[in-house]
Amino acid sequence: TPLGYNWFYQEFATGKPGRRLLMVSTRDNLKRNGGFLDDSYVQRLEEQYQDEEALQEIEGKFVVLGGRCLFSLEALKAMMADCREGSRWKPKVVGRRYVMFVDASEGKQDNSVAYVLDTQTGEIVAEEAGLFYPDAFAEIVYNLHKEYNNALVGVETPGPGEVVLSRLKALGCGNIYEGKPKEPGLRLTSLNRPTMLLELEEAVRRRQLVIYSRPAIDEMFTFILGKDGQYRAAQGGHDDR
């Protein structure tokens, strides 16, 4: 069963040499069509799934579930072609200015994630992601900051990012983003979040941002508009990245 426009779509549904995708409907496996399923099985599925969910679960189609995706699907599909393995996609360039975006978690269910952006090319050149406790993640962030020319570090607050900021200061990190003088951190609120998301959407649509992380793009495919008018990960998905 397809699950959005993820790595499977990119690997098998984009015409890559040596790949052949066979798409069949559950109905093709009915006994009356030479298969092994009873009509009652499909009837139960039809009662359980509606609209896009039915297209995915019964017809085997690639769809985005749950609402309108924030990002251009065509842009995301094109960006999948840029994806690479690993977490260090470009080495530092001497004299180049880099900016880091850090989203810390409690280290239990959601990933802590840090990205390094090359401000000249618009490329995300490095990533660190995993189930790290905030204090341990701070050391990973600090090492990444040193690796990329003492990059400017923007840590999302409030939340576990406060612990990361405190630890970064203790480690001697001297290039921390301040939203206001003497107020370190990238404070995300209900007022500035919509604007930040729209700016990100524009950068993706205009291909001003180059993302090599396949997990990140997978999550972007399922970042959708909820019934309350807020964009978030679809049910069962993640938006850590």
Side-chain angles (χ1 to χ4, degrees):
T1 301
L3 189 60
Y5 294 91
N6 58 7
W7 68 270
F8 184 85
Y9 174 88
Q10 174 63 26
E11 196 67 27
F12 294 99
T14 56
K16 284 189 174 182
R19 302 286 192 271
R20 184 185 179 193
L21 179 65
L22 299 177
M23 300 186 69
V24 296
S25 167
T26 304
R27 304 176 201 281
D28 294 328
N29 279 324
L30 292 175
K31 289 180 179 178
R32 56 186 168 86
N33 293 327
F36 56 89
L37 298 175
D38 294 324
D39 282 20
S40 59
Y41 179 81
V42 173
Q43 290 172 358
R44 289 196 298 272
L45 290 179
E46 290 174 335
E47 293 172 358
Q48 181 178 356
Y49 299 111
Q50 302 293 325
D51 303 324
E52 285 85 359
E53 284 187 325
L55 288 175
Q56 173 177 285
E57 300 296 330
I58 301 175
E59 305 301 337
K61 304 294 185 182
F62 290 96
V63 297
V64 174
L65 296 179
R68 187 177 75 246
C69 182
L70 171 65
F71 304 102
S72 161
L73 297 183
E74 292 305 314
L76 293 181
K77 292 175 189 177
M79 292 171 75
M80 288 289 280
D82 296 327
C83 290
R84 305 177 184 178
E85 299 298 324
S87 62
R88 295 292 189 277
W89 301 296
K90 293 288 184 71
K92 74 174 183 181
V93 176
V94 176
R96 187 71 56 85
R97 182 171 179 267
Y98 296 95
V99 174
M100 292 179 59
F101 301 94
V102 180
D103 183 6
S105 75
E106 295 179 353
K108 298 178 181 178
Q109 293 183 333
D110 296 327
N111 285 321
S112 293
V113 182
Y115 286 112
V116 181
L117 172 71
D118 184 326
T119 61
Q120 181 170 316
T121 66
E123 294 172 286
I124 302 294
V125 296
E127 170 193 68
E128 287 287 359
L131 293 176
F132 305 114
Y133 289 108
D135 57 336
F137 188 50
E139 297 188 19
I140 294 172
V141 170
Y142 178 74
N143 291 333
L144 196 58
H145 148 82
K146 297 297 291 184
E147 181 180 345
Y148 283 89
N149 298 343
N150 295 316
L152 176 66
V153 182
V155 181
E156 182 181 321
T157 60
E162 304 284 358
V163 177
V164 173
L165 283 171
S166 177
R167 182 64 181 151
L168 284 174
K169 292 177 185 177
L171 290 169
C173 181
N175 196 15
I176 297 175
Y177 172 82
E178 294 183 346
K180 295 180 181 180
K182 298 183 179 180
E183 290 188 13
L186 183 61
R187 183 164 290 272
L188 197 63
T189 70
S190 59
L191 295 178
N192 63 19
R193 185 176 185 270
T195 300
M196 294 173 67
L197 288 177
L198 288 176
E199 290 176 349
L200 177 59
E201 182 279 327
E202 180 182 0
V204 169
R205 175 166 38 85
R206 294 180 178 273
R207 301 300 306 276
Q208 296 168 340
L209 187 64
V210 181
I211 301 175
Y212 297 118
S213 171
R214 177 171 288 172
I217 295 179
D218 283 348
E219 290 188 9
M220 292 167 76
F221 270 114
T222 57
F223 194 68
I224 62 173
L225 184 66
K227 293 181 179 179
D228 60 355
Q230 300 294 318
Y231 280 99
R232 60 174 58 86
Q235 184 175 2
H238 296 274
D239 57 7
D240 311 322
R241 290 173 162 86

